[in-house]
């Protein structure tokens, strides 16, 4: 018998109609009651939050991270499933993955259709997540949705409404569900996991600023004035902005602020091609390119680097480690 702990955090999978819309108000055991449990699996529920995921804070996410580690301190636990709202699932899953140093799986899932709907996708997703958590080893943190198994790293929400809502735009799924089994076709490459950060009294502020035609550095500077210790610059193309942004990045970095450079384009890597405010100049000014990671997960990498310590050089090294396209530190399959 495989012992799986389900950590319930809310989201659409736990939502019921309230007035004109839906609210995540169902407890974890109510969510679990909708799903068929795979043979040979026993389930325990931790009712952590009941929150629509756009309302999650950094403090919520760090509480989830610590709860995952606390659950895995029990050697009798075989795996974890996290039920989560889809809007920010990619961020929470990547945060847990960056700090996950255990062969036992942590599987995130959720739903696009609310609880108790006749055509709901939550029960099937939850069943598949339970089966995955009971079956696989050595794959890090996973996202299981619509019959597919994804690595947390790089996987984002790509559809607002349809059931098949998650993908890595720059990569392929790890596997899929079929005939009552989990078929894993490839293993993810992951950097060596980071240590578990302490719970800060006030989490560091990390903001995102997007470049567009005609943009200046006003919002970038406003983030600094608001106390941001990290900024993700969401650039155009392969990572390009303007000379004004180059100056703003250089000023921020000189003050010890971490700056990550990503792009608003759906897939492909940030690449140093252009000057006159392009990625060549932004990276020279101190921005750290994010590879194929997009804004939400880049922000999580910056957050983890800031939580790793107070030394500026060490923080920069942690950020580069978290963002680098990994080639080592991969768990061997069980």
């Amino acid at each position: 018998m495989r012992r799986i702990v389900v950590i319930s955090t809310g989201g659409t999978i736990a939502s019921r109609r309230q007035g004109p819309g839906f609210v995540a108000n169902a407890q974890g055991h109510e969510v679990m009651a909708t799903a068929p449990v795979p043979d040979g699996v026993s389930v325990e529920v931790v009712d952590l939050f009941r929150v629509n995921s756009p309302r999650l804070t950094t403090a919520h996410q760090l509480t989830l991270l610590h709860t995952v580690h606390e659950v895995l301190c029990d050697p009798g636990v075989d795996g974890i499933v996290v039920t989560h709202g889809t809007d920010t699932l990619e961020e929470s899953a990547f945060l847990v993955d960056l700090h996950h140093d255990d062969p036992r799986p942590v599987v995130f899932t959720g739903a696009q259709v609310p609880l108790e709907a006749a055509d709901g996708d939550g029960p099937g997703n939850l069943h598949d997540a339970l089966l995955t958590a009971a079956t696989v080893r050595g794959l890090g943190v996973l996202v299981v949705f619509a019959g597919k198994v994804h690595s947390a790293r790089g996987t984002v929400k790509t559809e607002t409404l349809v059931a098949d809502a998650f993908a890595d735009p720059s990569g392929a799924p790890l596997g899929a569900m079929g005939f009552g089994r989990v078929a894993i076709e490839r293993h993810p490459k992951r950097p060596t996991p980071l240590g578990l950060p302490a719970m800060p009294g006030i989490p560091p502020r990390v903001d995102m600023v997007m470049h567009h035609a005609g943009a200046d550095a006003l919002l970038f500077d406003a983030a600094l004035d608001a106390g941001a210790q990290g900024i993700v610059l969401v650039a155009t193309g392969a990572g390009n902005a303007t000379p004004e942004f180059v100056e703003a990045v250089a000023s921020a970095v000189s003050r010890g602020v971490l700056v990550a450079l990503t792009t608003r384009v759906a897939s492909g890597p940030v690449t140093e091609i252009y000057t006159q405010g392009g990625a060549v100049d932004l990276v020279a000014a101190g921005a750290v390119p994010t590879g194929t990671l997009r804004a939400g997960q880049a922000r999580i990498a910056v957050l983890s680097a800031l939580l790793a310590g107070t030394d500026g050089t060490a923080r920069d090294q942690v950020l580069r480690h978290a963002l680098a396209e990994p080639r080592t530190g991969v768990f061997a399959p069980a």
Side-chain angles (χ1 to χ4, degrees):
M1 185 70 69
R2 291 286 188 175
R3 181 182 165 205
I4 306 300
V5 174
V6 175
I7 302 175
S8 177
T9 69
T12 298
I13 197 170
S15 290
R16 297 188 181 96
R17 181 171 289 280
Q18 189 174 94
F22 291 87
V23 175
N25 59 13
Q27 295 181 348
H29 73 271
E30 296 178 274
V31 175
M32 267 307 310
T34 68
V37 177
D39 292 340
V41 173
S42 67
V43 175
E44 301 168 23
V45 176
V46 174
D47 205 23
L48 192 60
F49 311 127
R50 277 175 275 172
V51 181
N52 292 84
S53 69
R55 294 182 56 229
L56 284 176
T57 65
T58 299
H60 282 121
Q61 292 175 316
L62 291 172
T63 298
L64 172 60
L65 172 63
H66 278 258
T67 300
V68 166
H69 279 249
E70 290 165 7
V71 169
L72 290 177
C73 285
D74 183 345
V77 171
D78 294 296
I80 292 175
V81 169
V82 179
T83 57
H84 197 290
T86 59
D87 284 6
T88 57
L89 184 152
E90 64 204 56
E91 299 175 37
S92 298
F94 186 54
L95 175 65
V96 176
D97 189 56
L98 280 176
H99 300 271
H100 184 58
D101 192 9
D102 194 301
R104 291 172 291 177
V106 179
V107 182
F108 280 70
T109 195
Q112 290 283 74
V113 180
L115 183 74
E116 300 173 347
D119 58 345
D121 58 334
N125 286 341
L126 186 47
H127 169 275
D128 292 349
L130 290 167
L131 184 61
T132 303
T135 303
V136 306
R137 291 293 180 273
L139 298 179
V141 176
L142 305 172
V143 176
V144 171
F145 223 90
K148 297 176 182 177
V149 181
H150 305 276
S151 173
R153 185 184 185 92
T155 295
V156 297
K157 189 173 184 180
T158 56
E159 296 283 350
T160 59
L161 298 177
V162 302
D164 192 1
F166 285 88
D168 179 350
S170 299
L174 301 183
M177 318 300 298
F179 302 100
R181 299 180 59 192
V182 184
I184 300 298
E185 299 174 359
R186 66 185 187 90
H187 291 256
K189 295 178 179 179
R190 302 172 59 230
T192 304
L194 303 175
L196 182 66
M199 285 289 290
I202 300 177
R205 182 182 183 111
V206 183
D207 289 323
M208 296 189 289
V209 177
M210 181 178 286
H211 179 51
H212 55 82
D216 57 25
L218 175 67
L219 296 179
F220 193 101
D221 292 337
L224 294 175
D225 291 342
Q229 298 179 51
I231 297 178
V232 177
L233 176 57
V234 186
T236 55
N240 306 307
T242 65
E244 291 80 7
F245 276 99
V246 174
E247 293 174 9
V249 168
S251 176
V253 171
S254 71
R255 294 159 57 179
V257 175
L258 292 180
V259 179
L261 176 65
T262 186
T263 172
R264 69 188 202 187
V265 180
S267 64
V270 172
T271 307
E272 296 169 65
I273 302 173
Y274 298 102
T275 59
Q276 295 187 329
V280 171
D281 298 336
L282 291 165
V283 171
V288 182
T290 65
T292 58
L293 294 185
R294 292 312 185 250
Q297 294 191 340
R299 180 185 172 277
I300 291 298
V302 173
L303 173 67
S304 290
L306 291 170
L307 293 171
T310 58
D311 179 75
T313 299
R315 284 176 163 180
D316 182 81
Q317 291 174 344
V318 171
L319 177 59
R320 293 176 186 278
H321 171 81
L323 291 173
E325 295 298 322
R327 291 177 172 82
T328 60
V330 184
F331 286 126

